[in-house]
């Protein structure tokens, strides 16, 4: 959910915290996108960006070291390099927006919510 937050990167830069973020960039709000498609028969409204966020550029602008990974074979080297760095690093991993993450609990919760069932009463 980099588009919904991400400014903590600047805090880590400011305090020189050696943290590594791996951001799976799917060009939008992936969980929302897949939830909308499933709930509304393949339609979605605003969960895909017309212009995807360039995570590496944003993180670099916040002062972090960055890497952009576009091929699966490159992730290992990016992680190794990030772990050897003394400050914050953001690794942007470009992924296929159509690849659905595990969503069983989210789907069950939404189904209960829209059916009027009490959520959280198991």
């Amino acid at each position: 959910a980099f588009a919904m937050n991400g400014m903590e990167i600047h805090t880590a830069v400011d305090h020189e915290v050696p943290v590594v973020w791996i951001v799976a960039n799917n060009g939008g709000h992936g969980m929302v996108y897949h939830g909308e498609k499933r709930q509304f028969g393949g339609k979605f409204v605003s969960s895909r960006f017309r212009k995807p966020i360039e995570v590496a550029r944003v993180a670099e602008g916040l002062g972090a070291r960055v890497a952009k990974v576009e091929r699966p074979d490159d992730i290992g080297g990016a992680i190794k390099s990030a772990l050897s760095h003394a400050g914050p690093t953001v690794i942007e991993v470009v992924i296929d927006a159509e690849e659905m993450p595990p969503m069983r609990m989210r789907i069950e919760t939404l189904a209960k919510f829209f059916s009027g069932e009490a959520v959280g009463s198991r």
Side-chain angles (χ1 to χ4, degrees), residues 23-107:
V23 179
N25 189 347
N26 57 18
H29 299 299
M31 293 289 279
V32 175
Y33 170 69
H34 291 292
E36 283 181 336
K37 280 181 47 180
R38 184 171 172 96
Q39 185 177 353
F40 301 114
K43 298 176 186 172
F44 64 94
V45 180
S46 62
S47 51
R48 293 288 301 273
F49 303 149
R50 288 187 192 107
K51 174 148 178 46
I53 294 172
E54 296 182 44
V55 173
R57 290 182 64 185
V58 172
E60 187 174 47
L62 294 170
R65 182 176 181 198
V66 300
K68 186 169 183 174
V69 174
E70 297 180 284
R71 297 175 342 141
D73 293 344
D74 296 338
I75 189 72
I79 292 171
K80 185 176 179 181
S81 176
L83 292 173
S84 69
H85 181 59
T89 302
V90 175
I91 301 171
E92 175 183 5
V93 180
V94 179
I95 64 169
D96 181 355
E98 295 305 318
E99 203 55 47
M100 188 183 308
M103 294 182 55
R104 191 188 100 230
M105 289 300 293
R106 178 178 170 81
I107 291 167

